[in-house]
Every structure is written in structure tokens, then in C-alpha cells.
Amino acid sequence: MPNIMADRERALSLLAGRVAQGQAFFDLAAEALAIGLGYRWSGVAWRHSCGTELELLAFYEDGGKRELYRFELAGSPCEDVYNS
């Protein structure tokens, strides 16, 4: 059984006191989100200038960084988060 408080403390410790910039910041943020929320996947993205796609700045899955890509916002799990 996961220890939720320990996971949240670990996530906060990733961010506390670190001076990460650029890509390292986004990678760290995605990892902290996944650990802190107990999710298998976590990502940081921006809405592409075309207006219909998201472009990943960082993506974390199952304990590691993953390849970055662009995808359509419509119909993705991110659409609900973006619209809420």
C-alpha cells in the first residue's frame, strides 16, 4: 500500500531548495507531480500557437522521463483538465 504522505514529502523535497531552470525545471515539475499525486503519468505542456495542439515540455511515466511530442487537445485526457 502506498504511503501517500511519504510520496508527497518526496515530491516537495524534489522542488524545495532546488534552483532548476529551463528543461531541468520542467522535468523536475513533471516528476514531482507524478510522485506527489500518485499518478503513473504526469506532464507539463503548453498550448501550441495553432490553438488545437499541446506540446509537451516534460513528460514523466513509471519512474522516468519520456519522449516529448505534440498532440491534439480535443479528445485527450488533458482536454478535461484544460477546460476545468
Side-chain angles (χ1 to χ4, degrees):
M1 185 168 145
N3 183 335
I4 294 170
M5 288 309 294
D7 288 345
R8 288 188 178 159
E9 287 177 17
R10 182 173 162 221
L12 289 173
S13 72
L14 285 172
L15 296 172
R18 298 247 180 129
V19 182
Q21 296 179 352
Q23 187 60 49
F25 172 79
F26 294 120
D27 291 341
L28 194 61
E31 180 180 1
L33 281 170
I35 292 169
L37 297 173
Y39 292 156
R40 177 180 174 191
W41 301 291
S42 175
V44 177
W46 70 285
R47 192 164 188 172
H48 196 268
S49 59
C50 70
T52 62
E53 296 179 336
L54 294 181
E55 186 166 346
L56 287 168
L57 301 171
F59 188 58
Y60 188 84
E61 176 184 17
D62 291 332
K65 292 188 292 186
R66 297 295 183 244
E67 184 177 335
L68 304 179
Y69 55 92
R70 253 167 71 175
F71 61 95
E72 287 290 326
L73 176 60
S76 74
C78 299
E79 182 179 31
D80 292 336
V81 174
Y82 187 83
N83 290 326
S84 63

